[in-house]
């Protein structure tokens, strides 16, 4: 009777062991990525707020400081996307992040060139970048919903698209300024902060999936 009981429970125990092993194997990828993204999002929040505050002081004209800040922002986005792509390798393809790296790199060069032509040209380049980068952020957020904390990123991406379109339209206005471009960074930074807090659960608790966004 004991032998029968042992054989009878062997298969359920084996199945349970397989599930447990699969859970343990899958969890570090998601929790590790969430932890890395959480740290990155805190840094992106701090950078966005500081950048915007400094930019507000010089947004009325294209002085040396404004030019440096305008080139710095997409370059920082390149660095952040590189870190993001490295952290995301264990949880999915970072192909869209590579697109973002390429687009932001071209934008930094484009902004530097546009600065020689004036604020309207800068706003057009900045607006086109905001549209493309926003679409990438939105799509990446959708693909990461199972990780959690991604609704702020999805909303931020949508807002970026709308803001980019407004920059392009605003370039044709009389006496355009860079104030709106400076303000663009603040909501994005706040959404990164919200997402960082929401990713805390995924970073602390290993998960195998599910929608916790």
């Amino acid at each position: 009777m004991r032998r029968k009981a042992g054989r009878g429970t062997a298969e359920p125990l084996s199945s349970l062991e397989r599930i447990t092993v699969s859970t343990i194997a899958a969890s570090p990828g998601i929790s590790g990525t969430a932890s890395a993204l959480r740290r990155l999002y805190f840094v992106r929040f701090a950078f966005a707020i500081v950048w915007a505050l400094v930019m507000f002081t010089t947004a009325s004209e294209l002085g040396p400081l404004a030019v440096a800040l305008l080139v710095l922002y997409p370059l920082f986005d390149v660095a952040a996307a590189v870190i993001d792509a490295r952290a995301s390798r264990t949880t999915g393809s970072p192909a869209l992040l590579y697109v973002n790296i390429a687009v932001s790199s071209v934008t930094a060069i484009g902004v530097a060139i546009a600065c020689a032509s004036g604020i309207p040209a800068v706003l057009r380049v900045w607006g086109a970048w905001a549209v493309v980068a926003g679409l990438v952020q939105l799509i990446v957020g959708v693909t990461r919903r199972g990780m959690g904390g991604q609704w702020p990123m999805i909303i931020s991406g949508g807002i970026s698209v709308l803001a980019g379109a407004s920059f392009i339209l605003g370039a044709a206005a009389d006496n355009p300024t860079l104030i709106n471009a400076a303000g663009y960074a603040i909501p994005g930074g706040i959404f990164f902060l919200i997402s960082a807090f929401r990713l805390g659960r995924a970073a602390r608790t290993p998960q195998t999936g599910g929608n916790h966004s």
Side-chain angles (χ1 to χ4, degrees):
M1 293 296 292
R2 290 180 180 177
R3 289 181 180 179
K4 289 183 180 180
R7 289 195 299 268
T9 57
E11 186 174 348
L13 284 175
S14 178
S15 299
L16 180 60
E17 287 172 357
R18 285 196 297 270
I19 293 172
T20 303
V21 169
S22 298
T23 300
I24 293 173
S27 297
I30 295 177
S31 61
T33 299
S35 180
L37 291 179
R38 190 167 186 257
R39 292 192 297 270
L40 176 62
Y41 288 177
F42 277 128
V43 172
R44 297 201 68 166
F45 161 73
F47 175 83
I49 298 302
V50 172
W51 182 90
L53 292 176
V54 178
M55 190 66 196
F56 274 129
T57 67
T58 186
S60 60
E61 58 182 5
L62 266 178
L65 178 58
V67 172
L69 290 171
L70 289 168
V71 174
L72 176 62
Y73 199 97
L75 287 179
F76 179 83
D77 195 64
V78 170
V82 169
I83 295 172
D84 196 331
R86 289 177 178 174
S88 304
R89 287 176 181 172
T90 59
T91 56
S93 173
L96 282 173
L97 293 170
Y98 293 140
V99 172
N100 191 45
I101 291 169
V103 170
S104 294
S105 298
V106 171
T107 299
I109 298 172
V111 167
I113 295 173
C115 284
S117 299
I119 291 178
V122 171
L123 287 175
R124 292 186 184 98
V125 174
W126 196 264
W129 173 55
V131 170
V132 176
L135 285 173
V136 171
Q137 185 178 21
L138 190 156
I139 296 171
V140 170
V142 170
T143 61
R144 287 176 171 172
R145 283 189 62 204
M147 184 186 304
Q150 294 306 302
W151 272 114
M153 294 294 92
I154 294 171
I155 295 171
S156 178
I159 292 175
S160 181
V161 172
L162 297 176
S166 72
F167 297 154
I168 295 172
L169 294 174
D174 295 332
N175 299 319
T177 69
L178 297 169
I179 292 177
N180 289 338
Y184 161 77
I186 295 178
I190 292 173
F191 279 118
F192 274 119
L193 180 64
I194 295 172
S195 186
F197 282 121
R198 292 180 66 85
L199 277 171
R201 179 179 177 184
R204 291 190 301 269
T205 307
Q207 302 178 48
T208 57
N211 291 331
H212 302 285
S213 56

